[in-house]
């Protein structure tokens, strides 16, 4: 957690400069493929709902939700990303509540939200998805929805490369060893965790979060933007994103 917090703090300005225009100031983009909540409707009705965004980054999704009548709370571990979130709030006049917190211990009351969501936030960077999903279930009301997007687990077997080198499998799908970057002293500076599709399903089920859909977005025609390992070349052949839609049924 400490490594990723420091990494995102250091990368916040560059990330915003690179991706801010694509993500928008008050738009809900689920993934590099460009799936928008305004088109997909994965969260269901949000007007008048209590909505929690986990791993909000600069909070464009939270502002989109607020603009549509949701009472929105958005949290992130990175102070650097939350600085951009506050600036976005001032630019737009939309003010979801912003909190600095991790996803494994939510500083929120139980049974207080109708919807929880995360667009590539927090879930890939925590050591325990069981802890995250249990916390999400705790703060959701019965029947509440939890929808989140992550890198498709299939991508783990390929090099993190948008070009031809990223088309050849080199890593075992079942190897759950985290990806770790270290500094010159050997201290971890970035950590990302791999789970199989089955790992996600079992962890969700144990928390009482029932899977109702698994969306694997196809690469859209005419979409030419590379984002890290995401590219038209790879997107035409295999999925890059998995979006899990669940309902809390205790």
């Amino acid at each position: 957690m400490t490594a990723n917090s420091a990494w995102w703090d250091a990368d916040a300005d560059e990330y915003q400069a690179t991706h801010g225009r694509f993500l928008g100031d008050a738009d809900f983009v689920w993934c590099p493929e460009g799936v928008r909540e305004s088109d997909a409707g994965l969260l269901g009705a949000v007007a008048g709902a209590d909505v929690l965004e986990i791993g909000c980054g600069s909070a464009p999704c939270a502002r989109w939700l607020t603009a549509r009548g949701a009472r929105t709370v958005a949290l992130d571990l990175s102070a650097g990303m939350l600085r951009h979130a506050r600036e976005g709030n001032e630019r737009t006049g939309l003010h979801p509540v912003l909190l600095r917190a991790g996803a494994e211990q939510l500083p929120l009351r139980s049974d207080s939200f109708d919807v929880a969501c995360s667009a590539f936030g927090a879930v890939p960077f925590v050591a325990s998805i069981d802890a995250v999903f249990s916390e999400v279930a705790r703060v959701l009301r019965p029947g509440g929805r939890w929808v989140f997007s992550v890198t498709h687990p299939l991508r783990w077997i390929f090099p993190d490369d948008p070009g031809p080198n990223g088309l050849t499998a080199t890593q075992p799908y079942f190897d759950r060893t985290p990806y770790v970057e270290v500094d010159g002293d050997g201290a971890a500076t970035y950590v990302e965790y791999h789970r199989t599709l089955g790992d996600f399903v079992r962890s969700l089920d144990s928390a009482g979060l029932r899977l109702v859909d698994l969306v694997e977005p196809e690469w859209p025609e005419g979409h030419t933007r590379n984002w890290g390992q995401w590219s038209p070349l790879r997107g035409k052949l295999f999925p890059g994103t998995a979006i899990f839609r669940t309902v809390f049924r205790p």
Side-chain angles (χ1 to χ4, degrees):
M1 182 181 294
T2 301
N4 281 328
S5 176
W7 191 90
W8 283 107
D9 283 347
D11 191 61
D13 291 348
E14 182 176 350
Y15 183 91
Q16 189 66 12
T18 302
H19 303 298
R21 188 168 185 178
F22 177 75
L23 295 173
D25 265 345
D27 199 359
F28 199 128
V29 183
W30 279 107
C31 53
E33 290 88 348
V35 176
R36 283 175 160 76
E37 177 61 16
S38 57
D39 300 319
L42 301 179
L43 298 177
V46 297
D50 295 304
V51 182
L52 171 65
E53 185 184 6
I54 296 174
C56 66
S58 60
C61 300
R63 287 188 289 273
W64 183 90
L65 290 161
T66 300
R68 276 143 190 85
R71 294 180 293 273
T72 313
V73 176
L75 61 84
D76 201 279
L77 191 61
S78 166
M81 295 303 290
L82 288 173
R83 173 171 50 81
H84 285 284
R86 290 191 295 272
E87 291 170 359
N89 285 4
E90 292 304 315
R91 281 195 302 273
T92 62
L94 299 166
H95 292 274
V97 176
L98 301 174
L99 296 176
R100 188 181 185 193
E104 294 168 291
Q105 290 184 307
L106 299 175
L108 301 162
R109 291 179 300 177
S110 301
D111 303 310
S112 53
F113 291 94
D114 305 298
V115 180
C117 59
S118 183
F120 277 83
V123 176
F125 310 109
V126 297
S128 173
I129 53 171
D130 289 347
V132 174
F133 295 163
S134 293
E135 278 291 272
V136 169
R138 181 183 65 79
V139 302
L140 280 177
R141 298 172 179 131
R145 285 105 59 196
W146 164 231
V147 186
F148 65 97
S149 61
V150 293
T151 303
H152 198 290
L154 181 64
R155 286 286 175 106
W156 189 257
I157 72 176
F158 299 100
D160 193 8
D161 187 327
N165 290 335
L167 302 180
T168 302
T170 58
Q171 176 79 10
Y173 178 72
F174 300 103
D175 182 358
R176 296 167 177 82
T177 304
Y179 170 78
V180 181
E181 295 179 5
V182 298
D183 61 20
D185 296 323
T189 58
Y190 178 90
V191 183
E192 189 168 344
Y193 296 86
H194 167 60
R195 285 97 184 186
T196 68
L197 285 172
D199 292 339
F200 280 112
V201 172
R202 285 185 291 273
S203 183
L204 288 165
D205 185 69
S206 68
L209 296 158
R210 309 308 179 204
L211 184 66
V212 296
D213 197 8
L214 172 60
V215 180
E216 300 168 290
E218 296 185 39
W219 194 265
E221 190 71 29
H223 184 42
T224 61
R225 188 180 193 274
N226 283 14
W227 180 325
Q229 60 159 301
W230 281 263
S231 66
L233 174 67
R234 304 179 89 203
K236 287 189 296 186
L237 297 174
F238 47 86
T241 297
I243 308 174
F244 294 80
R245 294 180 61 225
T246 75
V247 175
F248 178 48
R249 303 192 190 283

